[in-house]
Amino acid sequence: MLKSLFLVALPAVVVGWSQMGDTTAHDRITAISMDFDFDTFPCVAFGYNVSDGRTNIPVVAWNGTGWVQEYERESQFAQGYHEFILKVRNNVKYIGLKIHYRFGSVLNGAVGYRGSYAFHNQLFGYDIDSQGDMVMLWISELATSPSYPGTDNNLVVIRYPQSGWVSYPAEDHFTDQIYINKQTETERVTDVKLIRAKTPNTFFGAYVLGGMISIFDDVRNAANPLGGSFPGTAMDITYSAKYGLFVSSFGTSNELEVHHMPEGSNDWVLLGKPIHKISERLTKTHIRVTENGIVVAACEHEEANIITVGIYSVEMPGQWIEKNVIASGPVTHWEMGVGGQTAYVAYSVSAKGLTVVRELLQYP
């Protein structure tokens, strides 16, 4: 069930965006992903073309005063890495790769960035549980085969245990494939997300099928979405054990919307439309929540050189505060994250270089 929340004005104090260290000099940036370690400092992975379509992926971490490169994945394939997702879990870094739009693997930093057994995929989201096992929500266009596990257009959850990475080459250890739904010619899955909850080894999953967003909290009961489905396209999800589940998405009116399911509730509350001048590209959105209930949502602005961040307080409900990150030229790739009480935005301009800015989130 979907409810609306009427908003009242709320004064806020915010500090301006400041750049963190130097901008990297790499040209032809292909993608950016960001996550956070226990110290709340960001880690960033970004891809850049080397030659002949090959893509390398450096992983850099902020140490408090500057960026330190911890690892660089060199392309094994001429087709390059077109998408990837960085996760920092239990002080270990993981990189989920999509290779040439068809193959995938997850690299484990605890074992020298060995890759998991490969898989065919269209879309995937993954996270790591407290034992180091990988749990993945994915959809594949190929049938299951001995060489590469596939799901014949089914949306499923699979598990890959930590032991699969230890042996080399990686073993075919995919287990526990749980069927959720199947694509049809008219209804296609266009986005998926998977995040771990605060309770050990529990996860939230989300997917967009036929223009409807569904979120589930138990992979064995994924056919029954939490609070029912609601319209939307590209989306992101985040969770707080204190405040509950939050979803940012592009609704039917091409406006960014934020839905909230408070902890202990089964109903979605519409927290409003945090950003008004959004891009027609509508490629992606990000949402995060701090420990004291500040919700941060972001998407592309209608002007190509701006990423807009919306800020809201669950503790003192009021209006969304918009903050623009203004780049020197068209933003081609970007990522937003929150560590502690600070928002971070990483972006590239015209696919050249990587810049990271931050802003302290303060409410009276």
Side-chain angles (χ1 to χ4, degrees), residues 60-78:
V60 297
W62 183 257
N63 65 3
T65 58
W67 293 103
V68 177
Q69 181 168 308
E70 298 193 352
Y71 172 74
E72 181 162 342
R73 175 70 170 189
E74 295 184 357
S75 181
Q76 295 176 284
F77 308 95

Side-chain angles (χ1 to χ4, degrees), residues 34 36 286-288 296-298 309 334-338 343-346:
M34 177 166 52
F36 294 82
H286 290 302
I287 189 165
R288 300 291 183 266
V296 186
V309 177
W334 67 280
E335 187 93 349
M336 187 277 289
V338 171
Y344 299 83
V345 176

